[in-house]
Amino acid sequence: MNEMKMDRRVWLQKHILAMVYVMGALFGVMVIRYAWLQLVEGDALSERMRNQVGYDFAIQSPRGTITDRNGREMAVSLMTKSLYIDPNHVKDPEILASDLAPLINMSEQEILDDISAGGGFVWVKRRMEHDEYEAVRKMVREKSYTDCVGFRDEAKRYYPNDILGANVLGFVGTDDKGLDGIEQGLDSLLKGEVKEKYLTTDRQNRPILDSIFSSQRQYKGEYCKNVELTLDGGIQFIVEQELDRAMAENNPQAITCVVMNPKTGEVLAMASRPSYNPNSFADYSPEVWKNRAVSFIYEPGSTFKSVVAAAALQEKVVSPNQVFVDPGYVMVSGRRIQNWSGTSFGTVTFTDVVKQSLNTGFAQVGLRLGAQKLTDYAKLFGFGTPTGIELPGEEGGLLFNPDDMRDSDVATMAIGQSIAVTPLQLVTAMSAIANDGVLLKPHIVKSITNADGSVYEEKGTTEVRRTIESATDKTLVGLLEQVVASGGGKKAAVKGYRIAGKTGTAQKIRPDGSGYMEGHYIASFCGFAPVEDPQITVLVMIDDPGTGNYYGGQIAAPVASRIFTQLFRYLHIEPSSDPFAGMESKAKPSAKTQKSYSGTVPDGKVVVPDFAGKSMREAAQLASDRGLNCDPDGSGYAVSQSIPANTLVDKGTTVTVQFQSQ
């Protein structure tokens, strides 16, 4: 009996021990499995669970808005839907492509090519129009494509004014990246933000408590900025309208215009033609994307003489009434430098040299200054280095090293050759003359604000340096005013207003820099008004006019005059008395009061010749031979003159000759 109990006890102990071993083994397996799931597969299982009960989605804030100085929107962003496909979950690519193609205006093959790329994500069409999105969304629901077709929010850039200010604004490419203009220059500040959010869904992939998350889907951004430009949309429109007119009249390769406030350095308008619509920038040649005001360098011609005159007056190598003898041309280091007419103006004062833009006089002034001082003053006025404006692609221009300059280089630089500038540099230098000789840093950004409306950065007037003394500047302004009142820039005049400025005509350099292009010119005018209280500086630069008339005083000055006229009205600038008004009429005898003369010509007197049928060059030569000054108006051949032929007048009298194309 005892043995039986003993055997049963042993049997139980053995089974209990066996069970313990089994339980221990099972527990060990469970621990190992648990460790495997937690340590090895934990992340994958966690992600799988997240995908089963919800999904991640990206919310993007719109790109910052760009406005003009008056709050007018020039670039805005709207949230749109972009379509993507998960190729791994597409069951029948042909059917899906067939269903999608007509809704998004793409070919079936394009969609099939996207699907064939494989992977878990591929863009099909980005930034769809709203009607496209609604049509695709309806189809996806009806045909149960929710597992392989989806949408993501993306910002789409719109330019509500189309071409207006395009070369300043630039445009935005894919992934919200600025590719030109302000969009590129301030891309890091304007760029929208993307935030990842997790949305819990039910078994049908419908958001749970969607209303709670709806506010998060309209993400306004925390770091992207809004930009206010110094541009005035009204002034920009006036300028671009006049450039379109000038393009039609002169058929040039291009035209550029910049309007600046000389007292603040603010750019009020900046435009080029030809231009483009940034809403469809891909339809245009990349050449027209460029902002020529900052990226185009050229020889300024006679407009640069205003800087040379400033240097000469400041260094006291010349005075307004100093007498020059103009032989018609001068030879410097074997190079012939002649006046625009190729003729001599005789004995003239420096005031006349400036008014008539005589190359011979400025060549002499340049040689008196010397290479070092001429270059130093060019640098003082901002030439040779970028201005630092908030626009990409700005060129610095070109200046000779004074140590390498020959006398011919000095003489040609004094007449606006052997130097390359940008339109922005030139209008900035002229603004310094308008601003009592003080050079300001130009800027086109007025302020930058945060998403919440607080100010991130406010741009103000930045003084660079004084270029010439105030007294010298006032003398120079007087000379430049006479250029418009009764000199070569008189077609820029506006009745009742005092305008100062300088015209320019320069032969174009070959693209390879090997010399000049025969028959290709750049005509320009740069000036400011009103003289007694300068508020606007205007530069008009016409590149390679195609009508045969290429003088700045003939084709660029009238464009500037029309712009000045409209800006005076737009800015409510009151007329001012013109101290030079009537000067021209007094100097030129009227046709009604002059009688034909025959007989001996007294000393100091000359008989006006008949200019009818003469070309501009022939008329200038004929006037020079008689001791007269010829003031051409128009182009082609002479058809009339302000003083009738055979009239006895004082030597040195100016005769205005009207020219017309045959």
Side-chain angles (χ1 to χ4, degrees), residues 240-250 255 562 566:
E240 295 199 19
Q241 191 176 47
E242 287 302 330
L243 293 195
D244 289 333
R245 176 178 172 181
M247 287 289 287
E249 290 177 347
N250 300 291
I255 303 182
R562 294 196 295 263
Q566 295 190 64

Side-chain angles (χ1 to χ4, degrees), residues 171-409:
F171 50 87
V172 175
T174 56
D175 300 318
D176 198 32
K177 183 175 179 60
L179 298 180
D180 208 347
I182 287 292
E183 297 280 26
Q184 179 182 349
L186 300 182
D187 185 61
S188 61
L189 297 176
L190 287 166
K191 192 175 180 65
E193 304 164 44
V194 178
K195 249 187 182 179
E196 295 291 336
K197 290 290 182 181
Y198 180 75
L199 191 64
T200 304
T201 61
D202 62 14
R203 294 182 60 184
Q204 301 300 319
N205 208 31
R206 294 174 299 194
I208 298 173
L209 302 176
D210 185 48
S211 60
I212 296 177
F213 292 93
S214 61
S215 62
Q216 297 178 2
R217 289 180 169 185
Q218 301 299 320
Y219 180 48
K220 295 184 178 180
E222 298 171 2
Y223 302 105
C224 60
K225 319 295 182 187
N226 298 315
V227 174
E228 178 186 359
L229 301 179
T230 61
L231 295 183
D232 185 309
I235 296 178
Q236 185 75 23
F237 177 78
I238 290 170
V239 166
E240 295 199 19
Q241 191 176 47
E242 287 302 330
L243 293 195
D244 289 333
R245 176 178 172 181
M247 287 289 287
E249 290 177 347
N250 300 291
N251 190 31
Q253 180 177 323
I255 303 182
T256 299
C257 178
V258 182
V259 179
M260 180 179 287
N261 182 334
K263 295 181 179 180
T264 64
E266 293 178 325
V267 176
L268 303 177
M270 180 181 284
S272 295
R273 287 294 186 270
S275 188
Y276 68 101
N277 187 337
N279 289 305
S280 52
F281 64 89
D283 297 339
Y284 298 82
S285 164
E287 189 63 29
V288 303
W289 297 346
K290 296 179 181 178
N291 186 346
R292 293 172 61 88
V294 298
S295 64
F296 179 71
I297 60 173
Y298 66 105
E299 288 191 348
S302 295
T303 51
F304 184 70
K305 291 175 181 175
S306 55
V307 174
V308 179
L313 291 169
Q314 182 62 49
E315 292 296 319
K316 296 181 172 52
V317 301
V318 71
S319 63
N321 295 321
Q322 186 167 338
V323 175
F324 285 75
V325 176
D326 170 33
Y329 72 92
V330 292
M331 299 297 296
V332 183
S333 301
R335 180 166 181 174
R336 180 187 176 100
I337 297 176
Q338 63 183 35
N339 296 322
W340 61 269
S341 62
T343 59
S344 167
F345 282 74
T347 302
V348 293
T349 65
F350 183 65
T351 299
D352 296 320
V353 170
V354 176
K355 284 175 58 177
Q356 301 301 330
S357 196
L358 302 184
N359 288 339
T360 56
F362 273 98
Q364 294 176 54
V365 168
L367 291 171
R368 292 180 189 179
L369 281 168
Q372 188 64 56
K373 285 186 177 179
L374 191 58
T375 304
D376 287 345
Y377 274 93
K379 291 180 178 179
L380 271 177
F381 277 91
F383 297 105
T385 57
T387 66
I389 197 170
E390 309 92 337
L391 289 167
E394 184 183 12
E395 293 284 348
L398 298 172
L399 286 177
F400 263 116
N401 182 337
D403 296 334
D404 299 332
M405 294 176 70
R406 299 173 299 173
D407 285 348
S408 59
D409 298 323

Side-chain angles (χ1 to χ4, degrees), residues 564-580:
F564 273 125
T565 300
Q566 295 190 64
L567 294 190
F568 292 150
R569 188 181 304 117
Y570 178 82
L571 296 173
H572 306 291
I573 298 175
E574 296 294 330
S576 56
S577 60
D578 185 354
F580 298 103

Side-chain angles (χ1 to χ4, degrees), residues 31 37 44 295 313 319 323 329 418 462 520 598 630:
V31 169
L37 293 176
S295 64
L313 291 169
S319 63
V323 175
Y329 72 92
S418 301
T462 302
H520 297 271
S598 60
C630 176

Side-chain angles (χ1 to χ4, degrees), residues 139-158:
M139 184 272 292
V140 168
R141 288 180 175 178
E142 290 177 349
K143 301 199 174 183
S144 301
Y145 286 133
T146 54
D147 59 338
C148 62
V149 177
F151 305 94
R152 284 196 178 178
D153 289 333
E154 285 197 293
K156 184 173 183 177
R157 201 62 159 168
Y158 288 95

Side-chain angles (χ1 to χ4, degrees), residues 300-314 350 353-354 357 362 365 369 374 377-378 381 383 413-416 425-434 467-468 472-473 475-477 479-481 483 500-504 525-528:
S302 295
T303 51
F304 184 70
K305 291 175 181 175
S306 55
V307 174
V308 179
L313 291 169
Q314 182 62 49
F350 183 65
V353 170
V354 176
S357 196
F362 273 98
V365 168
L369 281 168
L374 191 58
Y377 274 93
F381 277 91
F383 297 105
M413 181 176 174
I415 65 173
Q425 287 176 329
L426 190 58
V427 76
T428 301
M430 185 63 77
S431 292
I433 297 173
T467 57
I468 54 177
T472 303
D473 188 76
T475 301
L476 176 61
V477 169
L479 296 180
L480 295 178
E481 184 177 1
V483 170
K502 190 73 187 72
T503 61
F525 173 87
C526 190
F528 55 88

